[in-house]
Amino acid sequence: MLTLLAHRDAKHVVQVAGLQVHSDRVEVVTLDAGPDFQRDWLDRAAVQGGPLLLEPEGALKFARACLKALEAIHALGVMHGDFKSDNLCIKAIKMNPESGVALDLESLRLIDFAYAVYREQPLRFVLPTDPDRLAYMPDTYRAAIKKAQATADPSHIQQAACAQVDLYSLWYMLSNVVPSNLQDGRWMVWQEWMHACRKAAREPLITLTAFDAPTKQMLALTEKMLGQLAEPQSRWAQVATTLPSWEIQSGETPLANAHPTKLLTPLIEIRLSAVTTGASEPSSQQMTVQASSVKLKDQPSSSTSRVRQNIWQYQRWWVIVASLAFLYGWLDHRFAETGLKLTDLGFGLGLLAMALAFPVVLGALWRAVFHSRSACSWVRYPGLVLCGIAAYFLVVLVPVGVSVSQLMAFLVLLTLLVVALLV
């Protein structure tokens, strides 16, 4: 996941430096972020017994930084899935001994993508987590995790994954960043923002809406509210906190070490000898791993089908374009053979088909090279119109050059193309 985000130039995400391959494990190594980065800033505020921020401008600036980080991954169709303060790293700034600690919001980095979901790639297994303990997740997503665990089918998580899950987690986290009982009129803007964020996180999904649309809307609202508070844009990159210092002992963090950091838990070495020979009594954890491994080995067709589904996901656009090209080539040939002349309507539809061919081919090419989700629309909607025009020409050819069997075959082909375009 980190490699994918690095190749797509996702900002505010910890960057991959490389891989360390060992005989029994593979480890992801990240670029060192320096000793000033901290991930336990909210825990420090809890230790001192007060909120982290006491100004509505600071709260909105902090919310904006979080939304910028989420927007970077949501634009690629990636949901973090575990968004919380412990998975945010921010650089601490100490201007002088008299002032408190400030946070460099431009340095904010997301870490820990173990539970992330990428819309373009189906999940292969369900990670072992207790959804009842994930209070920062919406109920619908926790229910999807439970169902996936009960049925051993990760597709339930895949279908429920959306930007709203991370927005709900953001709302939950920020409810602990500032006091909830402030009555100052200046905080009305913040209360309005919190209400809007919670509403955006609970709105029902619309299939045709872009994955990152809710995040972009909240980001635009946040920047608008900062403008209402007359906060200069030049000051959006820093926020003052109530923390007097960083003297509280910090916990371990992947971005606080001076050396390259290993972010991925080493791969578990799986041995099936205890299952097959009964040589020793395995621990409960080993039994769980072994049972899962046996189940996967007993069902090779499941993995194969997922690989095929993934190939179809990426290559179907070329199949659609090639099928349409073949169909229109055959129609042109039959019109030439029969000498049938086009009516004014047919001539107009022919010109329209020629015009629509360009975005269809360009969209398929763009999708293949850059894996862009927006490019799918270039193929989908013009392709549906091209299918309708092809059906019209087939009907016109029926009296003079198309047999019933040919007509049925091509109509079946058109139906399959329409289904492939809509899925």
Side-chain angles (χ1 to χ4, degrees):
M1 185 65 71
L2 290 174
T3 304
L4 164 74
L5 295 171
H7 284 306
R8 302 294 182 85
D9 296 325
K11 297 181 180 179
H12 301 293
V13 174
V14 65
Q15 297 297 303
V16 176
L19 297 175
Q20 290 183 353
V21 182
H22 306 275
S23 60
D24 60 342
R25 66 189 186 278
V26 178
E27 294 172 337
V28 176
V29 181
T30 61
L31 293 174
D32 178 41
D36 293 331
F37 276 75
Q38 302 291 337
R39 67 185 294 186
D40 57 346
W41 40 268
L42 193 55
D43 293 334
R44 291 174 182 269
V47 170
Q48 76 171 6
L52 183 72
L53 306 171
L54 287 177
E55 295 292 335
E57 295 87 349
L60 286 172
K61 287 191 289 185
F62 184 79
R64 176 182 176 272
C66 294
L67 286 168
K68 292 285 288 184
L70 290 177
E71 181 193 33
I73 63 173
H74 290 172
L76 305 176
V78 174
M79 183 198 75
H80 187 279
D82 197 22
F83 187 86
K84 55 184 179 179
S85 61
D86 193 48
N87 290 334
L88 293 179
C89 290
I90 308 174
K91 188 175 182 179
I93 305 172
K94 185 73 171 178
M95 296 299 185
N96 54 66
E98 290 75 22
S99 65
V101 175
L103 300 179
D104 178 13
L105 299 180
E106 289 295 325
S107 70
L108 188 146
R109 296 289 183 271
L110 293 176
I111 64 172
D112 195 353
F113 284 80
Y115 294 96
V117 179
Y118 180 38
R119 299 292 293 174
E120 298 293 337
Q121 295 280 358
L123 292 174
R124 297 184 179 181
F125 55 89
V126 182
L127 290 175
T129 183
D130 183 4
D132 291 330
R133 299 179 61 185
L134 305 179
Y136 55 93
M137 294 288 176
D139 293 338
T140 53
Y141 192 67
R142 288 192 290 172
I145 296 176
K146 288 183 179 180
K147 190 172 183 180
Q149 292 175 343
T151 60
D153 183 5
S155 65
H156 298 294
I157 296 177
Q158 188 88 28
Q159 294 169 3
C162 59
Q164 282 89 335
V165 173
D166 288 339
L167 290 180
Y168 184 91
S169 300
L170 173 63
W171 167 82
Y172 187 90
M173 181 189 73
L174 292 180
S175 63
N176 297 315
V177 171
V178 298
S180 58
N181 58 349
L182 290 174
Q183 302 298 326
D184 188 344
R186 297 175 65 246
W187 282 96
M188 292 301 297
V189 174
W190 175 249
Q191 301 295 346
E192 181 183 347
W193 186 94
M194 289 289 286
H195 176 75
C197 185
R198 189 175 187 181
K199 180 181 178 182
R202 293 185 170 185
E203 285 182 347
L205 295 178
I206 302 176
T207 306
L208 298 180
T209 303
F211 187 86
D212 59 341
T215 313
K216 287 185 175 180
Q217 292 173 2
M218 283 304 305
L219 180 59
L221 175 64
T222 307
E223 294 180 344
K224 179 182 177 181
M225 289 182 171
L226 281 169
Q228 292 175 356
L229 294 176
E231 182 71 7
Q233 190 170 350
S234 59
R235 297 172 55 183
W236 289 1
Q238 290 186 6
V239 60
T241 72
T242 59
L243 299 175
S245 67
W246 288 102
E247 294 177 357
I248 302 172
Q249 183 65 32
S250 63
E252 295 184 2
T253 167
L255 293 182
N257 299 328
H259 302 288
T261 305
K262 303 166 184 177
L263 281 187
L264 186 65
T265 303
L267 300 178
I268 300 175
E269 186 176 355
I270 300 174
R271 294 185 177 89
L272 298 178
S273 58
V275 176
T276 55
T277 64
S280 61
E281 186 68 24
S283 65
S284 59
Q285 181 178 3
Q286 290 174 332
M287 291 179 64
T288 303
V289 173
Q290 291 163 356
S292 302
S293 304
V294 172
K295 184 176 182 180
L296 289 175
K297 288 181 176 294
D298 290 342
Q299 297 177 349
S301 60
S302 176
S303 300
T304 304
S305 63
R306 286 171 183 161
V307 171
R308 290 174 179 172
Q309 180 183 6
N310 187 36
I311 294 175
W312 169 247
Q313 181 72 15
Y314 279 101
Q315 304 301 330
R316 60 171 169 159
W317 308 106
W318 285 116
V319 175
I320 292 171
V321 171
S323 301
L324 285 172
F326 165 76
L327 181 55
Y328 273 89
W330 184 86
L331 287 171
D332 182 70
H333 175 70
R334 293 302 298 163
F335 266 90
E337 277 189 345
T338 59
L340 187 64
K341 293 184 179 181
L342 291 173
T343 62
D344 291 341
L345 175 60
F347 183 76
L349 290 176
L351 291 178
L352 178 60
M354 293 173 62
L356 293 176
F358 176 75
V360 168
V361 175
L362 182 62
L365 178 63
W366 197 266
R367 168 68 175 173
V369 175
F370 299 104
H371 303 294
S372 171
R373 289 176 60 85
S374 61
C376 300
S377 300
W378 302 357
V379 184
R380 177 174 289 117
Y381 302 113
L384 291 172
V385 178
L386 287 173
C387 288
I389 296 174
Y392 167 80
F393 285 132
L394 281 172
V395 174
V396 171
L397 280 172
V398 168
V400 293
V402 177
S403 64
V404 175
S405 59
Q406 289 176 326
L407 177 64
M408 294 301 297
F410 281 118
L411 288 179
V412 170
L413 175 61
L414 284 172
T415 302
L416 293 175
L417 289 177
V418 169
V419 172
L421 286 165
L422 290 176
V423 172

